[in-house]
Amino acid sequence: MEARYAALRRAAEEVAAVDAHAHNLVELGSAFPFLRCFSEAEGDALALAPHSLSFKRSLRDIAALYNCEASLEKVEEFRTAEGLTLIGSKCFQAANISAVLIDDGITFDKMLDLDSHKAFSPVIGRVLRIERLAETIINEESFSGSSWTLDSFTESYLAKLKSVSTQIVALKSIAAYRSGLEINPNVSKTDAEDGLRKELTGPRPFRITNKNLIDYLFTCSLEIAVSVNLPVQIHTGFGDKDLDLRKCNPLHLRAVLEDKRFSKCQIVLLHASYPFSKEASYLASVYSQVYLDFGLAIPKLSVHGMTSSLKELLELAPIKKVMFSTDGYAFPETYYLGAKRARDVVYHVLAAACEDGDLSIQEAIEAVEDIFRRNALHLYKLNVTNGSINHETTIAGGGVSSTSVEEDVLFVRIIWSDASGQNRCRVVPAGRFYEVTRNKGVGLTYAVMGMTSFCDGPADGTNLTGVGEIRLVPDMPTLLRLPWSSREEMVMADMQISPGEAWEYCPRNALRKVTKVLLDEFNVTMKAGFENEFFLRRKLVSDGVEQWVPYDNTNYCSTSAFDGASSILQEVYSSLKTSDIVVEQLHAESGKGQFEIALKYILCTLAADKLIYARETIKSIARKLGLLATFLPKPDLNDIGSGSHVHLSLWENDQNVFMGSSKDNFYGMSKTGAQFLAGVYHHLSSILAFTAPHPNSYDRIQPNTWSGAYLCWGKENREAPLRTACPPGVPLDLVSNFEIKSFDACANPHLGLAAIVAAGIDGLRRGLKLPEPIESTITYAPTSHHRMQMSHAARVVCRIKPCRLCFQTQKATAEPAGIHRFAFWR
């Protein structure tokens, strides 16, 4: 089982988690006992904590991290010797936490302030406990006296709450500890005022316990939360002995959840509501505003208890509503234990779901990202990029302060790639983007997907004109800071005809649709790895004439070429790495000033997005350095061309199912792989309309240039448009992927991959078969009659039947056909 789910295990262990609920750390000299790291118990009950399952397991985990003996005495000796800074860094690094949201409403001896936590996590957000705020206001001397009324208290409380709403990420209530969760959302002001009067007659400092006052405070806070768009965390389920567990069942919140005033208030049930996890799951499934957080239950329960609790949460609740937190407090070890056990439990629960048929492995991997990261980023409106929050995005008083946002980020580029493969963007000031555009998008004319590569106007016959408008909606998980411009961000966008409804011409949605068909019908996903070939040009001014000339004149894989461009490529590589784009190889190519950067294979939907970002990065870094980077297929007709070769493979349950085996081997491919490739082969002439859509594409696709000029396929045949590959580590009688060489940068990568997937699906549905491979040197030499020439109308079509150069198998006609019909070329 472990081998089968290796990718899922890797995803669970490597995701940079957002800790959505935790508490302050304390200094090593705090009177708060370290034994509380392992238990919620106090006093005499705490003395028995070392005999619990959780204690024994957790102590071993900490000792292993510290490389010391697994005893409480030795662990405490290590802590004292190393100091808080070192043990904090060790725990947080091992936990791999990229952001922490801290409820600072609980008081510990020698507690660190919020800023001090930035030494351990790059991102710290504040969660405001509403009961603590109210108690602080009432306990202040200036508000004591007989003149104190409910109205004056409410005015002061709401004013204070609004004043800090831009500095927090959520509110939190511990009503469960005080009077229970059976909140009356319609408590009268008379009852609340009576409750306040009773509290004021008690000793100071006081702790609010009156149910009517707590219910009133809770209701007022939810109203504010709705108005400023802040989530509200609510303690549910178990905790220390102050609470009455019978009153902590989240089902008691039904009156609040049914109240229409709060239907848009996002409520987070903390601690997996244990032992009421099933009840919490039910509420999240039927109320759109309810979310779940499983911190504290993990790691405080036994392994069986943690696993059962998480399984119960997922029985009904949408995965998009379930979130990780450590509920870490006082000691860095609590953060580490929470993260370590959460990763292990989530992995085992999701792997079991795959075994049961509830999830595919790919869906489980997506669930890992949702649970540990994406759900919290979305709910708490965080912009976490590469382990840091770039700016606050909390809405207050009906709008974001664009000044405070734009002190950090000035512009956000909303990116799309059109049908001619050109990357375009709308730029929105950051303040407006985070206030309005991130959710509503920007308007865009239908014509944008009909524009040609040479003219900003729709091509004839597209029916895409200036009449009609779509919405360009940011896909927030793709947001990243521009590596070459620190005050700008960019984000990929989806095209929608109405909120949530994709436009039929949206390239990203086209690829998502066909990959969903591939997954639904054949339980297979496709991964893609692109090779980026490009030319570098430098400016030369001679006799007042400006020219762009090749960066160098060296040969393929020349060490001199790489040495000369090393500083440029180093900056490109570092920028790509910052953007989480993995580079596998770099080298000089055959053309003058030509280079190649090969990217790691990943899910094809992600690969297309990252390809766009990679090209933007390469071009922008070159421009910053006074150079020009071009991905044009054939910028110089007397030199070699640039392609965007793509390597493709099929995966099922983390297994490469394109690759053959001892029992299933067709020229190194499996039956599934061979049929998929046969579909691509069969439809290749049609696919080229998407992967090589420009006349200049065919200036590149020429014999003897390794660009795929012949209609054939072969193992390790670089002259063929379809090459099956046997990279290092793969048995020589097998192949792991196939490469399409007739793919260039004029293509929209989403549409190109969508065409390939659609063709492969047809091959699988019809059980298509490949012809015999061409595994020898192709010696066919085309005459001038076969050479494709470009005119303003179309290309001259070869009249020989069949012609491998032109990919034509039908009778030649006066009208161009197949790959020679260019909708966007006049």
Side-chain angles (χ1 to χ4, degrees), residues 610-645:
K610 289 184 182 291
L611 179 67
I612 291 172
Y613 280 172
R615 289 175 183 163
E616 286 295 298
T617 300
I618 294 167
K619 289 189 291 186
S620 298
I621 296 292
R623 187 180 301 115
K624 187 182 80 169
L625 298 174
L627 303 171
L628 174 69
T630 176
F631 293 85
L632 194 67
K634 194 81 166 180
D636 183 346
L637 296 181
N638 296 314
D639 201 350
I640 203 74
S642 287
S644 187
H645 309 164

Side-chain angles (χ1 to χ4, degrees), residues 120-303:
F120 308 118
S121 175
V123 178
I124 301 296
R126 185 188 180 199
V127 176
L128 179 66
R129 186 179 293 200
I130 62 175
E131 292 84 4
R132 177 64 183 275
L133 176 63
E135 289 163 352
T136 300
I137 292 172
I138 295 176
N139 282 324
E140 287 182 2
E141 184 178 349
S142 58
F143 293 112
S144 63
S146 59
S147 62
W148 188 242
T149 65
L150 182 68
D151 285 340
S152 59
F153 164 72
T154 303
E155 181 181 356
S156 178
Y157 174 77
L158 295 181
K160 183 64 174 177
L161 190 55
K162 288 180 180 179
S163 71
V164 299
S165 63
T166 58
Q167 304 160 30
I168 60 177
V169 295
L171 300 178
K172 179 184 174 182
S173 171
I174 56 166
Y177 272 99
R178 305 301 175 84
S179 56
L181 294 179
E182 198 168 358
I183 304 292
N184 176 11
N186 298 308
V187 61
S188 70
K189 290 186 67 176
T190 300
D191 289 341
E193 183 129 37
D194 181 63
L196 176 61
R197 217 170 15 247
K198 290 178 179 177
E199 296 284 14
L200 289 173
T201 60
R204 300 288 183 92
F206 81 106
R207 180 174 179 266
I208 298 176
T209 57
N210 183 274
K211 183 180 185 317
N212 288 330
L213 182 57
I214 288 173
D215 290 357
Y216 177 80
L217 182 68
F218 187 97
T219 305
C220 289
S221 300
L222 258 60
E223 290 175 345
I224 290 294
V226 171
S227 70
V228 298
N229 199 17
L230 280 174
V232 179
Q233 298 180 347
I234 301 177
H235 181 106
T236 61
F238 77 132
D240 61 42
K241 68 177 185 179
D242 281 352
L243 58 77
D244 184 342
L245 189 58
R246 296 167 298 180
K247 297 180 180 180
C248 298
N249 189 324
L251 292 179
H252 290 311
L253 290 168
R254 189 172 184 276
V256 173
L257 300 176
E258 286 289 321
D259 195 310
K260 292 183 179 179
R261 291 174 295 169
F262 311 128
S263 62
K264 299 298 183 182
C265 183
Q266 296 162 316
I267 291 175
V268 184
L269 306 181
L270 296 173
H271 312 318
S273 297
Y274 181 84
F276 310 110
S277 301
K278 289 183 178 180
E279 290 86 341
S281 179
Y282 163 73
L283 292 176
S285 73
V286 296
Y287 290 103
S288 62
Q289 70 268 44
V290 174
Y291 295 77
L292 308 176
D293 183 305
F294 55 74
L296 187 64
I298 301 175
K300 287 296 190 287
L301 303 179
S302 68
V303 171

Side-chain angles (χ1 to χ4, degrees), residues 68 112 140 156 186 287 349 362 373 390 498 600 703:
C68 69
L112 301 185
E140 287 182 2
S156 178
N186 298 308
Y287 290 103
V349 169
Q362 187 53 48
R373 187 172 178 83
N390 293 327
S498 63
K600 179 177 175 60

